[in-house]
Structure formats: structure tokens, C-alpha cells
Amino acid sequence: MAAKWIISLILSGSLFFSPVLAQSKGQKASFDGQAAFDTVQALAADTMLGRKSGELGGRMAAEYIVSKLKEWGLEPAGVNGSFYQDLKIEYFEPEKGAALEILAWGKKREFVYGEDWRQQTYSGSGHLAADIVFAGYGISAPQKGYDDYSGLDVKGKLVLFSTDSPRPLEDKLKDEAQFQSRVRAAQEHGACGVLTFRSETPPSGFFGGFRGNLKKEAYQPDFVIISLENRVVDFIFKHLKTELRYLFQQIETTTKPQSFDTGVRSFINLDITYDENRPTRNVLAKISGSDKNLKNEIIMLGAHFDHLGIDMTGDVYNGADDNASGTAVVMEVARVMKLNRAKPKRTTVFALWAAEEDGLLGSKYYTENPIYPLDKTLTYINLDMEGHGSGRVNFRGVYYGPEIWDILKARLPKDLLDNVNSGRGGPGGSDHTYFLSSGVPAFFVATDGFHFRTNRVGDVIGLIQPEILKKAGDFVGAAVEVLATEPVIPVLSRRRENYYWKYQTIVNHEVPALDKVIEAHKDVQDPDVDFQLAAVVEKEGATGDVLRIEALKNLLAGLEKIRESKGLSAYSGAVPSMMGGRRMFGGQPAKTTVLVGLRGVATFRDDPRWADVFSKQGAAFVWLDRPAALLGDQGLNDEGKKIVAAIGKANLLMVVSGLDPAQNKLVLESANKPLFLVVSSQPSADILELVKKTKSSIGLILGKDEDPAAYFRKLDEAKKAVGAEILAIVAESCLWGKPGKEQMVGLIGEMLKAKYESEDLANLFSGAFMSVLERARATDTARASMFMPF
Ligand SMILES: [Zn+2]
């Protein structure tokens, strides 16, 4: 109490000194890097216990922040006139003292938590000694003729299995091979837990370690779910009269399980605290707008204040850079605005989010339960990691909020702008994510350059530089001031739909001639169209070798021009930056990737070997529109067979359009490779069956003037029948133009109304097409199956 009294005395005393004096002389106080540093120091102290949401440390950090905001005179902006917005999060945490020992043939070995083994999320607790039973892949599908549990007694035992899948059975066991299903199988067979490992070393960069992605239904209080490093599995097998690789080889070749009781015992001690509804809270403060018309509009500045808590060995994760730094910058901007008696026209909200480290839960909750209407929230600026780096400031999100960036560019002083790296931005990585997907133009500010020890124990106050905090603070403080006072800030219509339009990878299936594509788009900047199909130019009237040589020259010249252009890039096999059908750009401006192909078979009809030449030189597909001449009554005629075989052999994707249902059926029945079948109406069940069987994808044409709502009903029917993974939207309109875009934005509106998952949108817009392209272009079946969505 005494200390508090002295502090308040000092504080009231300070009113007579410099800051307010400066104010009275008309000088504005500016962002104080040292003051922000002091805040970081308080938040990153060991006594804050790593600020984990759902724990004491998280609570103390929130209380500290609120006490400061109150002290500085900020208005509460939380629920019911408070500074808080309460929410509940799922809390899952292993307790100290986790241990795992293996007793094999009289030898006991202890393994290190975090290095040799760890639990999966939704593991229960266990204090047990149990036998280990090897069960191959842990898959139980007796109805489909494969059961790793057949003849096995696992009651009260630990089931050891690989999380990979038996390759010959992959397609058949799609559901049963889900990790969730394998865990359930062990539970249903009465096991007390599972020990999992990876039998195959993943291709580098393809997967990280194994993460189960279980749903909470997997949780049973006394059922442990543990991942082992291979050295632990090696120890279990060390003295057994068999070898793992042999067992998996046997399963592959015979498709028969190879399960057995190992006779090896395991001792496990694992205490899990799992709480489905752990309370935590966001902190919100504001400065109310002074303009009677604009005060209902919101400018929001935010940062997460939570971090990772304390680990099993007692080390505190102080999270000074991540993200005491961003929190401190937001708070300091607020403090200085109050100090300067700022009277912004719009209401300025300062948000400090909880549970970012648990999956952006605090900001997600806010966007689902907004205190201020999101359609009146003109922008959200997010700060995460502002304490290290080169001194420049990264400002990501200009592709998604160009209207905001234009204002900042016009109004901010040159010296501030000169220090900013603006970037495309997009969702992911921090709390701007759910604002973007709610349609709010949202930006991500982080200081540029190297950040030390992110998410590691050494992220401490000693590495934080006050002058770098100030760089971030000067920029966002000025940006907030501009945005809170600018007379008019446009609010675009259909913001949410437009966000998805921009975020989705868009394929323009229109196939203009390659030289037209280059001419029209060579200088595009950050285009909405991500992939553009283009046709090799064929000389009119030419035939045979003259036609081929001219076409080949045009292809090579076109690809060269693409390489030299600013806005285009050429498709070259797999697209490494695809994630679930969406293209990842990071901060880089996007280029449109041009996919060149052949329209028709004129260039190789009389000499099918030429299909291979075009493919090797960079062509990716052959589009056959109404190829009726290749069809007989029973399927492909002799010439058709030859041509289709040549296209397949050349690893070109065959696109077929314009045929009637009977003809489509004939083509699919004689397809020897996956193809892209373009249709204008909902295909019949037998065609869909054939599409699946041939691992093809289907494109449903969106007509030039078709009403988006009417089209959506067709698309939804087809999606129900065949799944979004192999269904693509093929717009007839050019998507570079306004009408095409409007139509698509309308369609997105229908999809969002129907609550389509983001993953579905990704597949429908590009994933189904890109994946069939990969499947058709794969040179061997093993690689092809990597691209199968099943
Ligand atoms: Zn962070």
C-alpha cells in the first residue's frame, strides 16, 4: 500500500514537469523508446511467469496492462464499461515430471521428454507400467479387409504403430488411416495408450515432425497419446528377432498385418492438465472520437500480450520480443496520445490480445464477438515483434487494404515512409488474420531483420533495443493519427467477399494466345489473377513441320519474354509455394504464372512424338474442345487412341470440353491418365464415378452472364456428389475484367453464406485444377499419389 501511495504522489507531482509543460508550449510529446522499453521490461520479467493465457502469469500481465492504461487516463473499451473482454479457451498442458522408461530384455532405459518423446495434444494422463504391442500402422478396417488388430489382445497395453500409411492401401483406407481413427481404434480395443512414430523419413521440407492434429474427441483422461523418436523405437526392437523395415515391407507386399506382442515393457508418468473452458481475457482501451459523425468509425491498433509460460524444466519463456515489445508499443502510443490530449475525430481502440500463442484465440474471439461493429472498423494494425532488427519497419497488408495504404502514403512524412518496407501481406502468423477474413483491412507491423530466439527461452529484455521500439512506435503512432483524423476513408462494399477473392489463388481458364497474354499483362503489379492459361500461337494455314517449327519458336520466344517481364512468371512443373491449394507469397508482390498449352492437336496430329517435344519445352496442357473426331461409338477411335496416348506419354494434362454426356463417358472410359473434364451442367452419377476412378478433376463452367446464385446451386450439388477436392470453377468471363471479378465476388458471397470452409474455396478456385495438373504431369505413380487429395 505504501509503495503505491508514494508512486501516485510521484505521478501527480510529475504533472508539473516536462511533458505537460511541453504540451502547454504547443510542443507535442513524441513516442518515448525508453518508456516503451521499461514496459517491455515489466512484462518480460520472470515474475510474469511467461504470461501464458489461462495461467496466473497471463492474468498478472493483463492486470498490469490495465493498471497502466488507467493511470494514463485511457477510457475502458471492453465489455460493460470495463477494460476486459472475457473469453474461454481450451487449456492443455503437461505438468512437470514427465518420464518414460523402456524395459527390454532386462535392460532399462530412460528417455528424455521433449527430445526422445512428447505427448500429442489431447493425450490424457498416465501412471502406468504396460506391455508394448506392435500393431503396424494401427489401422483397423476389418470391413475393408485390413486390420492391424486382428487376433491381437491389447487390453491394458500400449499400442505401438507408425503414423504413415500402407501405400498399396492408401486410397481404400482413407478414413481409417486418419490419425484420429487410429487413436479411436486403440481406445476401442481397450489399450491404455498409443506410442507412435514415423516409419518413413519424410522428404526434406515436406513435413516437419509429426503433428497429429487430433480433435478433442480423442481425449480420454487416462489414455496417453505419445510420439516417439526413432531411437526409442530402435531400442524397443533392439533384441527382437525381426526388424521394423522388414515388417513394413511385408505389409506393403502382402497387404497383411504383421502385429505382435513385443514383450517389452514401458513405464510412463505423464500428468496432463486439460481444461475445455479455461477463462482468460483480452484487454481493450480507447480514446473516443471527437467528431459527431466520425466517432462511430473505429481505428484499431493491437498486439498480443500472452506468451508461452514455463516449460517442464522450469525455464520461463519471457517473450520480450514476442510480444512484450508490440504490447509496449501499443501502450506507449496510447500514453503519448493521452499526454498530448489528442482529440482524434474517429474512435481509436487499443487492443491487447490474449491466447495468440494458442492459435490467435483472443483476436478470433473478438472478431466473432466484436465490441465495435466490424463494418465500422476501418482498419486494424497489428504489432508483433518490435524489439530487434535492422531498424526498418515492415508494414504488410497493402495488397488487401490499398485504400488505407494510399492515404498513409499521401499523408505520412517522408522520413517515416522512407523507413518502411511495405509488403503484400495476408493472413497468418498473428492477430491480423481474423480481421482480414472478417473483411477489415488489416496490417501486420514487425520490425525488419533478424529476431533473436523467437519462441525460445532466451527471448529476454537484454536483447531489446529502445530505438527500434521507437521506429515502430513513431510509424504506427503517426499512422493512427492520420487515419483517425482523415476526413473521408472509403469503406469498400463486400469487403469480406473481396478479401477472399484476393486471398484465393485465382486461375483464369480463358486461353488467349500467348503473345496476347504477354502484351496485356507483362507489367502487371500484384494482380488478382494468379494463374493464366495461354495457347501456343499457331501460324494460320501452315501444316506439318512448318506449323510445328513456327509454334515451337513462338513458345520459346514467349517463355523468354515472360522471364524478362516484371509481372509474369512461367509455370515450371510443381509449384512449391502452394499450400492446400492456396498460393503463399509472404511479403513479396505476386506475379501471374502463365501456363502455356496447345489448343487442339494440329501440331502433332500426324506425328504424335511432337507432343513430347512441346512438353519438354514448357507446354503443360492440351485443350481439346469438342474433339468429336477422335471418338467412335465405343470410345476413342484409332487416331484418338494414338493421340491420347501421346498426350499421356508426354505428361501433358488433357483438358476436354464441349462434349455431350455420352461422349464424356466414352472419353473417361478410355482415359489412361487423369484429365480435366470441363462441363456446363451438373454431370451424372456415372460420370462422376469415372472422374474419381481416373483421378481426374472436373470443371464446371460459369457462363458469361450466369447469375452467381443459380450457378452456386449447381456447384453445391456437384460438390456434394464429388467433393471439392476434384471440382473446379471454370469461368467463361475473363477474370482480369470487372464483370468477371464481380461475378466471382458474387459467387464467393454465396459460398460464404453457405459457410463453405476456406479449404473448399481453395480447392474450387485452384486446388482441383492444380492438383490434376500435377497428377497428369507426374512421371511416376508414386509421385502422382502424393498429389491425390485422398
Ligand atoms: Zn507473437
Side-chain angles (χ1 to χ4, degrees), residues 733-753:
S733 293
C734 173
L735 299 179
W736 293 90
K738 207 172 167 200
K741 178 187 165 179
E742 300 276 279
Q743 195 185 24
M744 282 297 217
V745 167
L747 177 57
I748 290 170
E750 298 296 324
M751 291 165 148
L752 294 179
K753 250 191 279 170

mmCIF file with all atom_site columns, all heavy atoms in Angstrom, residues 733-753:
data_model
loop_
_atom_site.group_PDB
_atom_site.id
_atom_site.type_symbol
_atom_site.label_atom_id
_atom_site.label_alt_id
_atom_site.label_comp_id
_atom_site.label_asym_id
_atom_site.label_entity_id
_atom_site.label_seq_id
_atom_site.pdbx_PDB_ins_code
_atom_site.Cartn_x
_atom_site.Cartn_y
_atom_site.Cartn_z
_atom_site.occupancy
_atom_site.B_iso_or_equiv
_atom_site.pdbx_formal_charge
_atom_site.auth_seq_id
_atom_site.auth_comp_id
_atom_site.auth_asym_id
_atom_site.auth_atom_id
_atom_site.pdbx_PDB_model_num
ATOM 1   N N   . SER A 1 733 ? -16.032 -15.815 -68.348 1.00 0.00 ? 733 SER A N   1
ATOM 2   C CA  . SER A 1 733 ? -15.590 -14.423 -68.417 1.00 0.00 ? 733 SER A CA  1
ATOM 3   C C   . SER A 1 733 ? -14.115 -14.331 -68.076 1.00 0.00 ? 733 SER A C   1
ATOM 4   O O   . SER A 1 733 ? -13.610 -15.116 -67.280 1.00 0.00 ? 733 SER A O   1
ATOM 5   C CB  . SER A 1 733 ? -16.353 -13.578 -67.392 1.00 0.00 ? 733 SER A CB  1
ATOM 6   O OG  . SER A 1 733 ? -17.692 -13.504 -67.744 1.00 0.00 ? 733 SER A OG  1
ATOM 7   N N   . CYS A 1 734 ? -13.479 -13.324 -68.655 1.00 0.00 ? 734 CYS A N   1
ATOM 8   C CA  . CYS A 1 734 ? -12.095 -13.077 -68.300 1.00 0.00 ? 734 CYS A CA  1
ATOM 9   C C   . CYS A 1 734 ? -12.058 -12.489 -66.889 1.00 0.00 ? 734 CYS A C   1
ATOM 10  O O   . CYS A 1 734 ? -12.779 -11.543 -66.578 1.00 0.00 ? 734 CYS A O   1
ATOM 11  C CB  . CYS A 1 734 ? -11.478 -12.100 -69.294 1.00 0.00 ? 734 CYS A CB  1
ATOM 12  S SG  . CYS A 1 734 ? -9.829  -11.603 -68.803 1.00 0.00 ? 734 CYS A SG  1
ATOM 13  N N   . LEU A 1 735 ? -11.221 -13.030 -66.039 1.00 0.00 ? 735 LEU A N   1
ATOM 14  C CA  . LEU A 1 735 ? -11.218 -12.590 -64.641 1.00 0.00 ? 735 LEU A CA  1
ATOM 15  C C   . LEU A 1 735 ? -10.341 -11.366 -64.400 1.00 0.00 ? 735 LEU A C   1
ATOM 16  O O   . LEU A 1 735 ? -10.265 -10.844 -63.294 1.00 0.00 ? 735 LEU A O   1
ATOM 17  C CB  . LEU A 1 735 ? -10.780 -13.740 -63.728 1.00 0.00 ? 735 LEU A CB  1
ATOM 18  C CG  . LEU A 1 735 ? -11.698 -14.964 -63.785 1.00 0.00 ? 735 LEU A CG  1
ATOM 19  C CD1 . LEU A 1 735 ? -11.184 -16.070 -62.886 1.00 0.00 ? 735 LEU A CD1 1
ATOM 20  C CD2 . LEU A 1 735 ? -13.133 -14.595 -63.411 1.00 0.00 ? 735 LEU A CD2 1
ATOM 21  N N   . TRP A 1 736 ? -9.693  -10.886 -65.442 1.00 0.00 ? 736 TRP A N   1
ATOM 22  C CA  . TRP A 1 736 ? -8.959  -9.631  -65.311 1.00 0.00 ? 736 TRP A CA  1
ATOM 23  C C   . TRP A 1 736 ? -9.933  -8.460  -65.337 1.00 0.00 ? 736 TRP A C   1
ATOM 24  O O   . TRP A 1 736 ? -9.629  -7.394  -64.811 1.00 0.00 ? 736 TRP A O   1
ATOM 25  C CB  . TRP A 1 736 ? -7.956  -9.452  -66.443 1.00 0.00 ? 736 TRP A CB  1
ATOM 26  C CG  . TRP A 1 736 ? -6.828  -10.434 -66.437 1.00 0.00 ? 736 TRP A CG  1
ATOM 27  C CD1 . TRP A 1 736 ? -6.803  -11.648 -67.068 1.00 0.00 ? 736 TRP A CD1 1
ATOM 28  C CD2 . TRP A 1 736 ? -5.561  -10.296 -65.782 1.00 0.00 ? 736 TRP A CD2 1
ATOM 29  N NE1 . TRP A 1 736 ? -5.606  -12.268 -66.841 1.00 0.00 ? 736 TRP A NE1 1
ATOM 30  C CE2 . TRP A 1 736 ? -4.810  -11.459 -66.064 1.00 0.00 ? 736 TRP A CE2 1
ATOM 31  C CE3 . TRP A 1 736 ? -4.987  -9.289  -64.992 1.00 0.00 ? 736 TRP A CE3 1
ATOM 32  C CZ2 . TRP A 1 736 ? -3.517  -11.650 -65.575 1.00 0.00 ? 736 TRP A CZ2 1
ATOM 33  C CZ3 . TRP A 1 736 ? -3.694  -9.493  -64.520 1.00 0.00 ? 736 TRP A CZ3 1
ATOM 34  C CH2 . TRP A 1 736 ? -2.976  -10.652 -64.805 1.00 0.00 ? 736 TRP A CH2 1
ATOM 35  N N   . GLY A 1 737 ? -11.076 -8.661  -65.974 1.00 0.00 ? 737 GLY A N   1
ATOM 36  C CA  . GLY A 1 737 ? -12.016 -7.563  -66.178 1.00 0.00 ? 737 GLY A CA  1
ATOM 37  C C   . GLY A 1 737 ? -12.998 -7.443  -65.025 1.00 0.00 ? 737 GLY A C   1
ATOM 38  O O   . GLY A 1 737 ? -13.167 -8.360  -64.227 1.00 0.00 ? 737 GLY A O   1
ATOM 39  N N   . LYS A 1 738 ? -13.664 -6.292  -64.966 1.00 0.00 ? 738 LYS A N   1
ATOM 40  C CA  . LYS A 1 738 ? -14.577 -6.023  -63.866 1.00 0.00 ? 738 LYS A CA  1
ATOM 41  C C   . LYS A 1 738 ? -15.774 -6.979  -63.825 1.00 0.00 ? 738 LYS A C   1
ATOM 42  O O   . LYS A 1 738 ? -16.097 -7.497  -62.757 1.00 0.00 ? 738 LYS A O   1
ATOM 43  C CB  . LYS A 1 738 ? -15.044 -4.561  -63.947 1.00 0.00 ? 738 LYS A CB  1
ATOM 44  C CG  . LYS A 1 738 ? -15.425 -4.022  -62.597 1.00 0.00 ? 738 LYS A CG  1
ATOM 45  C CD  . LYS A 1 738 ? -15.703 -2.537  -62.641 1.00 0.00 ? 738 LYS A CD  1
ATOM 46  C CE  . LYS A 1 738 ? -16.381 -2.148  -61.339 1.00 0.00 ? 738 LYS A CE  1
ATOM 47  N NZ  . LYS A 1 738 ? -17.111 -0.904  -61.408 1.00 0.00 ? 738 LYS A NZ  1
ATOM 48  N N   . PRO A 1 739 ? -16.424 -7.228  -64.984 1.00 0.00 ? 739 PRO A N   1
ATOM 49  C CA  . PRO A 1 739 ? -17.606 -8.109  -64.908 1.00 0.00 ? 739 PRO A CA  1
ATOM 50  C C   . PRO A 1 739 ? -17.248 -9.508  -64.380 1.00 0.00 ? 739 PRO A C   1
ATOM 51  O O   . PRO A 1 739 ? -17.984 -10.068 -63.573 1.00 0.00 ? 739 PRO A O   1
ATOM 52  C CB  . PRO A 1 739 ? -18.082 -8.188  -66.365 1.00 0.00 ? 739 PRO A CB  1
ATOM 53  C CG  . PRO A 1 739 ? -17.438 -7.058  -67.074 1.00 0.00 ? 739 PRO A CG  1
ATOM 54  C CD  . PRO A 1 739 ? -16.183 -6.736  -66.347 1.00 0.00 ? 739 PRO A CD  1
ATOM 55  N N   . GLY A 1 740 ? -16.117 -10.038 -64.848 1.00 0.00 ? 740 GLY A N   1
ATOM 56  C CA  . GLY A 1 740 ? -15.698 -11.356 -64.386 1.00 0.00 ? 740 GLY A CA  1
ATOM 57  C C   . GLY A 1 740 ? -15.441 -11.370 -62.897 1.00 0.00 ? 740 GLY A C   1
ATOM 58  O O   . GLY A 1 740 ? -15.847 -12.286 -62.185 1.00 0.00 ? 740 GLY A O   1
ATOM 59  N N   . LYS A 1 741 ? -14.776 -10.333 -62.421 1.00 0.00 ? 741 LYS A N   1
ATOM 60  C CA  . LYS A 1 741 ? -14.472 -10.242 -60.997 1.00 0.00 ? 741 LYS A CA  1
ATOM 61  C C   . LYS A 1 741 ? -15.758 -10.120 -60.171 1.00 0.00 ? 741 LYS A C   1
ATOM 62  O O   . LYS A 1 741 ? -15.941 -10.823 -59.177 1.00 0.00 ? 741 LYS A O   1
ATOM 63  C CB  . LYS A 1 741 ? -13.562 -9.044  -60.738 1.00 0.00 ? 741 LYS A CB  1
ATOM 64  C CG  . LYS A 1 741 ? -13.250 -8.861  -59.271 1.00 0.00 ? 741 LYS A CG  1
ATOM 65  C CD  . LYS A 1 741 ? -12.493 -7.592  -58.977 1.00 0.00 ? 741 LYS A CD  1
ATOM 66  C CE  . LYS A 1 741 ? -12.559 -7.327  -57.470 1.00 0.00 ? 741 LYS A CE  1
ATOM 67  N NZ  . LYS A 1 741 ? -11.839 -6.140  -57.056 1.00 0.00 ? 741 LYS A NZ  1
ATOM 68  N N   . GLU A 1 742 ? -16.670 -9.220  -60.631 1.00 0.00 ? 742 GLU A N   1
ATOM 69  C CA  . GLU A 1 742 ? -17.922 -9.021  -59.892 1.00 0.00 ? 742 GLU A CA  1
ATOM 70  C C   . GLU A 1 742 ? -18.698 -10.323 -59.753 1.00 0.00 ? 742 GLU A C   1
ATOM 71  O O   . GLU A 1 742 ? -19.232 -10.648 -58.702 1.00 0.00 ? 742 GLU A O   1
ATOM 72  C CB  . GLU A 1 742 ? -18.802 -8.000  -60.618 1.00 0.00 ? 742 GLU A CB  1
ATOM 73  C CG  . GLU A 1 742 ? -18.171 -6.648  -60.762 1.00 0.00 ? 742 GLU A CG  1
ATOM 74  C CD  . GLU A 1 742 ? -18.351 -5.780  -59.527 1.00 0.00 ? 742 GLU A CD  1
ATOM 75  O OE1 . GLU A 1 742 ? -19.444 -5.192  -59.399 1.00 0.00 ? 742 GLU A OE1 1
ATOM 76  O OE2 . GLU A 1 742 ? -17.416 -5.704  -58.707 1.00 0.00 ? 742 GLU A OE2 1
ATOM 77  N N   . GLN A 1 743 ? -18.728 -11.079 -60.866 1.00 0.00 ? 743 GLN A N   1
ATOM 78  C CA  . GLN A 1 743 ? -19.452 -12.333 -60.871 1.00 0.00 ? 743 GLN A CA  1
ATOM 79  C C   . GLN A 1 743 ? -18.835 -13.298 -59.837 1.00 0.00 ? 743 GLN A C   1
ATOM 80  O O   . GLN A 1 743 ? -19.544 -13.955 -59.069 1.00 0.00 ? 743 GLN A O   1
ATOM 81  C CB  . GLN A 1 743 ? -19.361 -12.929 -62.281 1.00 0.00 ? 743 GLN A CB  1
ATOM 82  C CG  . GLN A 1 743 ? -20.345 -14.026 -62.559 1.00 0.00 ? 743 GLN A CG  1
ATOM 83  C CD  . GLN A 1 743 ? -20.095 -14.632 -63.936 1.00 0.00 ? 743 GLN A CD  1
ATOM 84  O OE1 . GLN A 1 743 ? -18.990 -14.573 -64.474 1.00 0.00 ? 743 GLN A OE1 1
ATOM 85  N NE2 . GLN A 1 743 ? -21.135 -15.225 -64.499 1.00 0.00 ? 743 GLN A NE2 1
ATOM 86  N N   . MET A 1 744 ? -17.520 -13.350 -59.806 1.00 0.00 ? 744 MET A N   1
ATOM 87  C CA  . MET A 1 744 ? -16.827 -14.219 -58.860 1.00 0.00 ? 744 MET A CA  1
ATOM 88  C C   . MET A 1 744 ? -17.045 -13.763 -57.423 1.00 0.00 ? 744 MET A C   1
ATOM 89  O O   . MET A 1 744 ? -17.220 -14.574 -56.517 1.00 0.00 ? 744 MET A O   1
ATOM 90  C CB  . MET A 1 744 ? -15.328 -14.238 -59.167 1.00 0.00 ? 744 MET A CB  1
ATOM 91  C CG  . MET A 1 744 ? -14.978 -15.124 -60.332 1.00 0.00 ? 744 MET A CG  1
ATOM 92  S SD  . MET A 1 744 ? -15.369 -16.864 -60.005 1.00 0.00 ? 744 MET A SD  1
ATOM 93  C CE  . MET A 1 744 ? -14.003 -17.636 -60.829 1.00 0.00 ? 744 MET A CE  1
ATOM 94  N N   . VAL A 1 745 ? -16.994 -12.455 -57.200 1.00 0.00 ? 745 VAL A N   1
ATOM 95  C CA  . VAL A 1 745 ? -17.219 -11.933 -55.853 1.00 0.00 ? 745 VAL A CA  1
ATOM 96  C C   . VAL A 1 745 ? -18.637 -12.281 -55.400 1.00 0.00 ? 745 VAL A C   1
ATOM 97  O O   . VAL A 1 745 ? -18.872 -12.660 -54.250 1.00 0.00 ? 745 VAL A O   1
ATOM 98  C CB  . VAL A 1 745 ? -16.950 -10.406 -55.810 1.00 0.00 ? 745 VAL A CB  1
ATOM 99  C CG1 . VAL A 1 745 ? -17.467 -9.787  -54.525 1.00 0.00 ? 745 VAL A CG1 1
ATOM 100 C CG2 . VAL A 1 745 ? -15.449 -10.139 -55.958 1.00 0.00 ? 745 VAL A CG2 1
ATOM 101 N N   . GLY A 1 746 ? -19.592 -12.209 -56.351 1.00 0.00 ? 746 GLY A N   1
ATOM 102 C CA  . GLY A 1 746 ? -20.961 -12.623 -56.044 1.00 0.00 ? 746 GLY A CA  1
ATOM 103 C C   . GLY A 1 746 ? -21.017 -14.096 -55.661 1.00 0.00 ? 746 GLY A C   1
ATOM 104 O O   . GLY A 1 746 ? -21.695 -14.485 -54.704 1.00 0.00 ? 746 GLY A O   1
ATOM 105 N N   . LEU A 1 747 ? -20.292 -14.902 -56.400 1.00 0.00 ? 747 LEU A N   1
ATOM 106 C CA  . LEU A 1 747 ? -20.256 -16.340 -56.117 1.00 0.00 ? 747 LEU A CA  1
ATOM 107 C C   . LEU A 1 747 ? -19.627 -16.603 -54.746 1.00 0.00 ? 747 LEU A C   1
ATOM 108 O O   . LEU A 1 747 ? -20.112 -17.442 -53.976 1.00 0.00 ? 747 LEU A O   1
ATOM 109 C CB  . LEU A 1 747 ? -19.465 -17.048 -57.219 1.00 0.00 ? 747 LEU A CB  1
ATOM 110 C CG  . LEU A 1 747 ? -19.256 -18.556 -57.075 1.00 0.00 ? 747 LEU A CG  1
ATOM 111 C CD1 . LEU A 1 747 ? -20.582 -19.289 -56.957 1.00 0.00 ? 747 LEU A CD1 1
ATOM 112 C CD2 . LEU A 1 747 ? -18.444 -19.094 -58.257 1.00 0.00 ? 747 LEU A CD2 1
ATOM 113 N N   . ILE A 1 748 ? -18.572 -15.864 -54.426 1.00 0.00 ? 748 ILE A N   1
ATOM 114 C CA  . ILE A 1 748 ? -17.943 -16.016 -53.103 1.00 0.00 ? 748 ILE A CA  1
ATOM 115 C C   . ILE A 1 748 ? -18.955 -15.681 -52.014 1.00 0.00 ? 748 ILE A C   1
ATOM 116 O O   . ILE A 1 748 ? -19.041 -16.374 -50.995 1.00 0.00 ? 748 ILE A O   1
ATOM 117 C CB  . ILE A 1 748 ? -16.690 -15.116 -52.992 1.00 0.00 ? 748 ILE A CB  1
ATOM 118 C CG1 . ILE A 1 748 ? -15.586 -15.659 -53.902 1.00 0.00 ? 748 ILE A CG1 1
ATOM 119 C CG2 . ILE A 1 748 ? -16.191 -15.056 -51.548 1.00 0.00 ? 748 ILE A CG2 1
ATOM 120 C CD1 . ILE A 1 748 ? -14.396 -14.735 -54.073 1.00 0.00 ? 748 ILE A CD1 1
ATOM 121 N N   . GLY A 1 749 ? -19.758 -14.632 -52.268 1.00 0.00 ? 749 GLY A N   1
ATOM 122 C CA  . GLY A 1 749 ? -20.810 -14.284 -51.312 1.00 0.00 ? 749 GLY A CA  1
ATOM 123 C C   . GLY A 1 749 ? -21.729 -15.467 -51.039 1.00 0.00 ? 749 GLY A C   1
ATOM 124 O O   . GLY A 1 749 ? -22.067 -15.763 -49.892 1.00 0.00 ? 749 GLY A O   1
ATOM 125 N N   . GLU A 1 750 ? -22.113 -16.181 -52.096 1.00 0.00 ? 750 GLU A N   1
ATOM 126 C CA  . GLU A 1 750 ? -22.981 -17.359 -51.941 1.00 0.00 ? 750 GLU A CA  1
ATOM 127 C C   . GLU A 1 750 ? -22.265 -18.448 -51.135 1.00 0.00 ? 750 GLU A C   1
ATOM 128 O O   . GLU A 1 750 ? -22.847 -19.105 -50.278 1.00 0.00 ? 750 GLU A O   1
ATOM 129 C CB  . GLU A 1 750 ? -23.368 -17.932 -53.310 1.00 0.00 ? 750 GLU A CB  1
ATOM 130 C CG  . GLU A 1 750 ? -24.157 -16.977 -54.198 1.00 0.00 ? 750 GLU A CG  1
ATOM 131 C CD  . GLU A 1 750 ? -25.520 -16.621 -53.605 1.00 0.00 ? 750 GLU A CD  1
ATOM 132 O OE1 . GLU A 1 750 ? -26.137 -17.502 -52.979 1.00 0.00 ? 750 GLU A OE1 1
ATOM 133 O OE2 . GLU A 1 750 ? -25.930 -15.445 -53.756 1.00 0.00 ? 750 GLU A OE2 1
ATOM 134 N N   . MET A 1 751 ? -20.993 -18.636 -51.424 1.00 0.00 ? 751 MET A N   1
ATOM 135 C CA  . MET A 1 751 ? -20.228 -19.678 -50.717 1.00 0.00 ? 751 MET A CA  1
ATOM 136 C C   . MET A 1 751 ? -20.094 -19.352 -49.234 1.00 0.00 ? 751 MET A C   1
ATOM 137 O O   . MET A 1 751 ? -20.180 -20.237 -48.389 1.00 0.00 ? 751 MET A O   1
ATOM 138 C CB  . MET A 1 751 ? -18.832 -19.804 -51.333 1.00 0.00 ? 751 MET A CB  1
ATOM 139 C CG  . MET A 1 751 ? -18.830 -20.375 -52.737 1.00 0.00 ? 751 MET A CG  1
ATOM 140 S SD  . MET A 1 751 ? -17.205 -20.046 -53.470 1.00 0.00 ? 751 MET A SD  1
ATOM 141 C CE  . MET A 1 751 ? -17.032 -21.431 -54.507 1.00 0.00 ? 751 MET A CE  1
ATOM 142 N N   . LEU A 1 752 ? -19.860 -18.076 -48.936 1.00 0.00 ? 752 LEU A N   1
ATOM 143 C CA  . LEU A 1 752 ? -19.707 -17.694 -47.531 1.00 0.00 ? 752 LEU A CA  1
ATOM 144 C C   . LEU A 1 752 ? -21.046 -17.829 -46.811 1.00 0.00 ? 752 LEU A C   1
ATOM 145 O O   . LEU A 1 752 ? -21.098 -18.253 -45.662 1.00 0.00 ? 752 LEU A O   1
ATOM 146 C CB  . LEU A 1 752 ? -19.169 -16.261 -47.412 1.00 0.00 ? 752 LEU A CB  1
ATOM 147 C CG  . LEU A 1 752 ? -17.740 -16.041 -47.930 1.00 0.00 ? 752 LEU A CG  1
ATOM 148 C CD1 . LEU A 1 752 ? -17.328 -14.582 -47.774 1.00 0.00 ? 752 LEU A CD1 1
ATOM 149 C CD2 . LEU A 1 752 ? -16.732 -16.944 -47.207 1.00 0.00 ? 752 LEU A CD2 1
ATOM 150 N N   . LYS A 1 753 ? -22.125 -17.475 -47.519 1.00 0.00 ? 753 LYS A N   1
ATOM 151 C CA  . LYS A 1 753 ? -23.452 -17.634 -46.921 1.00 0.00 ? 753 LYS A CA  1
ATOM 152 C C   . LYS A 1 753 ? -23.693 -19.098 -46.564 1.00 0.00 ? 753 LYS A C   1
ATOM 153 O O   . LYS A 1 753 ? -24.283 -19.421 -45.544 1.00 0.00 ? 753 LYS A O   1
ATOM 154 C CB  . LYS A 1 753 ? -24.540 -17.167 -47.921 1.00 0.00 ? 753 LYS A CB  1
ATOM 155 C CG  . LYS A 1 753 ? -25.226 -15.878 -47.491 1.00 0.00 ? 753 LYS A CG  1
ATOM 156 C CD  . LYS A 1 753 ? -26.466 -15.608 -48.345 1.00 0.00 ? 753 LYS A CD  1
ATOM 157 C CE  . LYS A 1 753 ? -26.090 -14.980 -49.676 1.00 0.00 ? 753 LYS A CE  1
ATOM 158 N NZ  . LYS A 1 753 ? -27.202 -14.896 -50.645 1.00 0.00 ? 753 LYS A NZ  1
#
